[in-house]
Amino acid sequence: MVSEISPEDVKEKLENEDVQIVDIRPEPEYERGHIPGAINIPMSRLAAEIDEYDWGDDVVVACPIGQSSVQAARLIGSFEDVDSDAVASMAGGYRDWEYALETETEAES
């Protein structure tokens, strides 16, 4: 079972802890705005690229409405190098994220 975390708790983790945010939306959506510091691995590429990343001790997966992120979190948690208890899905996805978003231009500067 994948745990879910509220957008409020994700924001708090970003401010106070070392958390890895994985945005599984398509690249154009990610570039228009994403949670600050998030990495983009579109759901369509996640299974093929999962072993290319160093997964952190605290991973939160975000998607548009908080449904496909549950499946993605389950997939990441099943990877042998990841503690499945360290992976969560952001409940409500970007639909419920009420905080500032970072764009690719800001991330590069």
Side-chain angles (χ1 to χ4, degrees):
M1 185 74 185
V2 172
S3 61
E4 290 192 289
I5 181 172
S6 72
E8 295 79 17
D9 288 342
V10 171
K11 176 137 176 42
E12 188 174 312
K13 281 180 172 284
L14 282 168
E15 293 170 353
N16 302 310
E17 300 174 32
D18 185 22
V19 62
Q20 186 176 24
I21 308 295
V22 180
D23 186 325
I24 61 167
R25 299 175 303 158
E27 195 170 331
E29 289 180 43
Y30 171 83
E31 290 173 352
R32 281 194 293 270
H34 52 270
I35 295 170
I39 61 170
N40 183 226
I41 311 172
M43 185 68 168
S44 61
R45 297 193 329 239
L46 183 60
E49 296 179 8
I50 198 164
D51 61 348
E52 295 177 18
Y53 293 89
D54 290 326
W55 298 102
D57 293 332
D58 194 359
V59 179
V60 176
V61 184
C63 72
I65 61 172
Q67 291 183 341
S68 54
S69 58
V70 171
Q71 294 173 329
R74 191 174 296 127
L75 177 63
I76 293 168
S78 70
F79 187 58
E80 64 188 37
D81 292 344
V82 177
D83 175 5
S84 63
D85 292 334
V87 184
S89 167
M90 186 172 78
Y94 276 91
R95 175 187 61 194
D96 290 353
W97 180 262
E98 300 174 347
Y99 309 101
L101 294 174
E102 179 178 80
T103 63
E104 273 308 285
T105 308
E106 293 167 341
E108 293 170 2
S109 52

